[in-house]
Amino acid sequence: MGNDLSCYFDVQSCMTNLRSVSMPHSLESQPVECSAVINAAGAWSAKVAEMAGVGRGSPNTAEGTKLPVEPRKRYIYMFNSPDGPGMDCPMLIDSSGVYFRREGFGGNYIGGLSPSEEEEPDISNLDVDHNYFQEKVWPLLAHRVPVFESLKVKSAWAGFYDYNTFDQNGVIGTHPLVQNMYFACGFSGHGLQHAPAVGRAVAELLIDGDFQTLNLKPFGFQRFIMNMPIKERNINME
Ligand SMILES: Cc1cc2nc3c(=O)[nH]c(=O)nc-3n(C[C@H](O)[C@H](O)[C@H](O)COP(=O)(O)OP(=O)(O)OC[C@H]3O[C@@H](n4cnc5c(N)ncnc54)[C@H](O)[C@@H]3O)c2cc1C
């Protein structure tokens, strides 16, 4: 995923031409007439869609419906707890939303917690908020696994979820108006798990003209226009 045309050059200038994407000012040596454009730009996929005119019409119309995907910063903390759960410990997602899994051997784990809407961090940088671990994540971890009371944080990092604000699920398939744009984005923090199936599904759409193995039509852009969210428990609880 993410390995589409847009990865070979920075997509800075697109225009819709008879409702098709083309790139008259591409960084290639000549204008690019695209037969198919796969928007797999992750957290920036709404920006790429907008370049192709998606969402530029009047509100509450198909033309005016934006791709509802935006970057949301999430932290992963790596911690050590020598007496923590061992080899038989699965990845655990607590009902509070806190999650962790073993990271190799030696009592190492990684974990985190998605913030509430009110707590959404600034996305202008990828700085890690260490207080967030102290105040929000650690108490929940220690409640679930008491031995984590004495854990030690070793490192941490932040990344951007490709967050679909509409229903936190992937956007897969064509656009009803921009005829050569395909979507494979908006996976909202579970895109790695979906990647093999989505890659196959989009390949089928391109080669065969329709989904063959799994019918993923419900995940299409159309659902934003029709206001038909796909709700999935445990994803939408955050
Ligand atoms: C902290 C964190 C933890 C996560 N944990 C999990 C997990 O446990 N399980 C899971 O399944 N998923 C997880 N995810 C989510 C997962 O990483 C994403 O859903 C997945 O990486 C999305 O893949 P993608 O190929 O669609 O997008 P990306 O991997 O984001 O790729 C998009 C690509 O598009 C490029 N791009 C953007 N704009 C342009 C442009 N204008 N021109 C050219 N290229 C452009 C970017 O540079 C990037 O290379 C996590 C994400 C984060 C941040």
Side-chain angles (χ1 to χ4, degrees), residues 1-2 6-7 9-11 40-44 48 51 74-76 91 99 157 159-162 184-185 187-194:
M1 295 171 71
S6 60
C7 290
F9 41 76
D10 195 21
V11 180
W44 299 271
V48 170
M51 291 177 195
R74 295 292 179 265
Y75 312 115
I76 298 285
M91 176 169 178
Y99 63 88
W157 55 275
F160 291 122
Y161 269 16
D162 43 340
C185 53
F187 298 105
S188 311
H190 42 293
L192 290 180
Q193 291 149 85
H194 291 183

Side-chain angles (χ1 to χ4, degrees), residues 40-229:
W44 299 271
S45 49
K47 204 172 150 195
V48 170
E50 203 184 326
M51 291 177 195
V54 172
R56 289 218 190 131
S58 313
N60 302 319
T61 64
E63 289 93 337
T65 303
K66 294 179 188 298
L67 178 67
V69 176
E70 62 184 39
R72 294 216 176 171
K73 187 160 78 168
R74 295 292 179 265
Y75 312 115
I76 298 285
Y77 303 93
M78 183 183 165
F79 53 91
N80 184 265
S81 177
D83 300 321
M87 291 293 286
D88 54 353
C89 178
M91 176 169 178
L92 185 142
I93 305 177
D94 186 62
S95 54
S96 65
V98 78
Y99 63 88
F100 73 91
R101 68 162 170 79
R102 261 190 327 103
E103 175 70 349
F105 301 105
N108 292 321
Y109 304 84
I110 60 171
L113 170 73
S114 284
S116 63
E117 283 287 324
E118 301 73 45
E119 292 169 332
E120 279 296 343
D122 173 20
I123 57 161
S124 63
N125 60 60
L126 280 173
D127 295 347
V128 173
D129 182 349
H130 292 279
N131 286 335
Y132 185 71
F133 184 84
Q134 299 282 333
E135 291 165 12
K136 304 283 180 176
V137 184
W138 196 357
L140 294 171
L141 284 172
H143 178 72
R144 171 58 60 184
V145 182
V147 74
F148 282 167
E149 287 273 6
S150 58
L151 65 76
K152 297 228 175 339
V153 175
K154 294 290 182 187
S155 63
W157 55 275
F160 291 122
Y161 269 16
D162 43 340
Y163 193 88
N164 170 352
T165 58
F166 183 73
D167 60 12
Q168 294 80 57
N169 266 312
V171 188
I172 303 159
T174 52
H175 187 273
L177 299 175
V178 185
Q179 61 188 11
N180 64 344
M181 177 163 269
Y182 295 74
F183 295 97
C185 53
F187 298 105
S188 311
H190 42 293
L192 290 180
Q193 291 149 85
H194 291 183
V198 172
R200 181 179 59 189
V202 174
E204 288 173 354
L205 261 189
L206 280 166
I207 293 165
D208 303 311
D210 208 349
F211 296 118
Q212 302 294 313
T213 316
L214 291 171
N215 178 11
L216 298 184
K217 282 195 179 120
F219 290 94
F221 190 97
Q222 202 76 23
R223 76 186 193 272
F224 308 132
I225 299 166
M226 311 289 283
N227 194 24
M228 292 173 67

